[in-house]
Amino acid sequence: MESPLDCTSANFEKVALAKFRSLTPHLPANTRIFREPWGRFTVLCIDFQDCPQYFPLSQQQNKDLIQVMEQLGLSNSVIFRIGNKILGWKRV
């Protein structure tokens, strides 16, 4: 019988990213949001490949993103990209 709680780190990651998305409604639904290792750190990546017209974000939108990142403890940095091209990096 399968446990009702799937307590793997991959599941926690999915839940945290889903919560992040729900708390940042100004991000288009088709932005790809994921975490990625960079050396000894993990950064939050927001990929606008399917909606490049929504980048760059306003200062208020950036503030909101950082506030939610801090609230959820997702990362200390965020990378904005379109596909493999990095458009910006913001450290919290």
Side-chain angles (χ1 to χ4, degrees), residues 33-53:
I33 301 171
F34 57 99
R35 291 189 339 145
E36 181 175 271
W38 279 64
R40 298 178 309 185
F41 303 99
T42 301
V43 298
L44 183 68
C45 298
I46 302 176
D47 189 345
F48 291 87
Q49 182 168 337
D50 294 333
C51 52
Q53 69 275 16

Side-chain angles (χ1 to χ4, degrees), residues 20 22 26 30 33 46 49 56 66 80 86-88:
F20 177 81
S22 74
H26 61 276
N30 54 346
I33 301 171
I46 302 176
Q49 182 168 337
I66 289 170
F80 301 102
I86 294 175
L87 303 171

Side-chain angles (χ1 to χ4, degrees), residues 2-3 9 12 16 20 22 30-31 38 40 44-46 48-49 52 57 63 67 70 73 75 79 81 83 87 89 92:
E2 189 173 319
S3 169
S9 60
F12 284 130
F20 177 81
S22 74
N30 54 346
T31 51
W38 279 64
R40 298 178 309 185
L44 183 68
C45 298
I46 302 176
F48 291 87
Q49 182 168 337
L57 300 175
K63 282 177 153 179
Q67 182 180 7
E70 288 176 329
S75 175
I79 292 176
R81 54 172 58 185
L87 303 171
W89 178 297
V92 177

